[in-house]
Amino acid sequence: MAGFIPFSRQEPNIGGVGNRRTTAVSLPLPEKMAAVPFSRSEVFGQLRKELYEDVEFHQSDVHIFIIMGASGDLAKKKIYPTLWWLFRDGLLPEETYFVGFARSSLTVEGIRTACQPHMKVVDGEAERLSAFFSRNSYLSGQYDDEHSFSQLNAHLGTLPGGPEANRLFYLALPPSVYHNVSKNIRQHCMSSKGWNRVIVEKPFGRDLQSSEELSAHLSSLFSEDQIYRIDHYLGKEMVQNLMVLRFGNRIFSPIWNRDSVACVVLTFKEPFGTQGRGGYFDDFGIIRDVMQNHLLQILSLVAMEKPASTSSDDVRDEKVKVLKCIAPVTMEDVVLGQYVGDPAGEGDAKQGYLEDPTVPKGSSTPTFATAVLYVHNERWDGVPFILRCGKALNERKAEVRLQFTDVPGDIFGGQCQRNELVVRVQPNEAVYAKMMSKKPGVYFSPEETELDLTYGSRYRGVKLPDAYERLILDVFCGSQMHFVRSDELKEAWRIFTPLLHQIDREKSPPMPYKYGSRGPAEADELVKKVGFRYEGTYKYSV
């Protein structure tokens, strides 16, 4: 049963325990529930011990993972597949059970059928998959009905561990029902002895006020260490690698500041449009969907000071300090765009945003945004942080790009381009540095080249976990490092709320850009104006 262990490239099983055969589950199982064959849950215990020694863990603990909204797309496409992958690879505690809850009338077999296309099951895993679903159960109920949650709690009490099991509640739900669901969980479904944790999906509100209201509501029911606000970008391999690159390498520390860095560009590009999901997207727009959360999270990791340790609070303290140094974004530092169809394109490219039948007629919602932020502290004062994101662009890409200042005292007649350090988050994870080297041969002239760490080449054959795998495993482990804290969320909304209110109020038409292009030309002009120089000849390729 081949699996992967995150954080370890050379050893297939942490601590060498991955292939041990253990005894079957000793606690009585409900009818139709089977013991897991060839258990590897010691891997979880060892991994957890190595990573999170500050939190107590008992291998014999029983865990129940409750999926609220089990009938929805998120559960079907992400949550159930992620739980299956973790279960398959022995990364969950031995005694873990899964309970779905939603308004729909469903069965476990129906859930299995709906999830099957997304679970990536290969030959030889049928028995393991059956064992996974034997650990599953499902209840139907109303989110605002206390009786439904009393029934849910009664069902949880029949599972091994009963009312004393640790409980994880994943709110794979629209924010409109968070209040009722979280209140009913608190009043009717909490474990009497084990710990309770609640995973909340974004969007965490629409602006500062609504976010504060949601935070106040959740904090009235749960303590901060019980709340896990999930932003899946914090589970990406290269986003998590930012801390190691910065604080595990001496070569970067002296140059990671305003004396050497000319600008920082954070990019998120998608080559497709709304694809029939325009109704959902139009309610939020690209800034709420990507920039205020994903890109701002990456910015804080790039800009923060070295934390006292890798504990959750030490890391998040430093991220909050960065956000507090950023003034609210103004319209003068922003370019907004909305894609239009390309008559010469094929398929979806012919259709502009306003031609999507699910988009309200005449919508002024931006599908593209470039914003320039400044971190007003000693390290970064004056350095522009350029955030770029959009749909229907020319490529799929998410990356961090540090462009360094010009070499002083040029002796090569202006032939040298600026050095850059690029962390490619997706696709094809990589870290590469653009630098100057002498052109090979009899010439004595510089040319641009690269130092390249492409994961597909360096770590050939290593499977990188999905972001949701890392983050859900973190919740089991009790680590909040890669989750958003309430004060961090407040500062993020403070930065963008005035701009968002102005956009919503004025409803000015965004600048049009063609489907499949780089975005509005005005965005490139803004980036150039604040100091980014696009002049290199080298382009990364896989």
Side-chain angles (χ1 to χ4, degrees), residues 186-426:
R186 183 67 182 87
Q187 292 178 351
H188 301 286
C189 296
M190 300 286 276
S191 174
S192 63
K193 186 176 180 180
W195 47 250
N196 300 273
R197 293 168 186 164
V198 179
I199 307 173
V200 184
E201 272 279 352
K202 77 174 187 72
F204 314 118
R206 289 182 52 83
D207 56 13
L208 180 58
Q209 180 181 348
S210 58
S211 174
E212 286 286 87
E213 290 172 354
L214 177 58
S215 290
H217 173 76
L218 291 175
S219 64
S220 71
L221 303 173
F222 310 103
S223 61
E224 183 64 29
D225 63 1
Q226 292 177 313
I227 303 170
Y228 288 72
R229 300 173 189 84
I230 190 169
D231 181 338
H232 76 275
Y233 250 68
L234 290 177
K236 297 281 189 181
E237 176 74 27
M238 301 312 295
V239 174
Q240 294 196 352
N241 197 16
L242 283 170
M243 281 187 59
V244 179
L245 285 173
R246 285 199 58 192
F247 305 122
N249 293 291
R250 178 67 182 129
I251 59 174
F252 294 133
S253 297
I255 61 173
W256 208 275
N257 53 51
R258 62 189 176 93
D259 295 328
S260 299
V261 177
C263 57
V264 181
V265 184
L266 310 175
T267 301
F268 178 97
K269 301 168 74 173
E270 291 180 331
F272 50 84
T274 49
Q275 296 181 324
R277 296 180 66 249
Y280 169 83
F281 178 84
D282 197 78
D283 195 37
F284 294 96
I286 197 69
I287 295 177
R288 288 185 177 95
D289 195 42
V290 176
M291 186 176 286
Q292 181 272 342
N293 37 73
H294 299 336
L295 293 187
L296 203 59
Q297 285 290 327
I298 297 175
L299 182 153
S300 63
L301 289 169
V302 171
M304 73 180 189
E305 297 298 319
K306 187 175 184 178
S309 73
T310 57
S311 74
S312 300
D313 279 337
D314 284 345
V315 173
R316 296 194 294 181
D317 284 347
E318 295 303 330
K319 291 170 66 181
V320 172
K321 289 178 185 178
V322 169
L323 298 179
K324 286 184 174 181
C325 293
I326 301 175
V329 187
T330 65
M331 193 65 82
E332 289 71 29
D333 291 323
V334 174
V335 171
L336 304 175
Q338 187 183 88
Y339 69 87
V340 297
D342 179 6
E346 298 181 359
D348 291 339
K350 291 181 178 292
Q351 185 183 71
Y353 179 69
L354 295 179
E355 295 163 321
D356 183 334
T358 62
V359 172
K361 292 187 180 300
S363 171
S364 59
T365 298
T367 61
F368 172 96
T370 292
V372 181
L373 282 64
Y374 292 90
V375 180
H376 299 289
N377 63 13
E378 184 176 1
R379 178 180 294 272
W380 296 111
D381 195 32
V383 177
F385 283 76
I386 302 163
L387 280 56
R388 297 169 58 99
C389 54
K391 290 184 170 293
L393 296 174
N394 60 327
E395 60 183 329
R396 175 176 178 255
K397 181 171 74 172
E399 70 176 23
V400 179
R401 184 178 297 263
L402 277 75
Q403 187 171 92
F404 295 94
T405 54
D406 296 316
V407 176
D410 178 28
I411 62 172
F412 296 106
Q415 297 182 70
C416 292
Q417 280 81 47
R418 284 179 170 178
N419 298 144
E420 292 183 346
L421 178 67
V422 182
V423 179
R424 192 178 185 96
V425 177
Q426 67 181 29

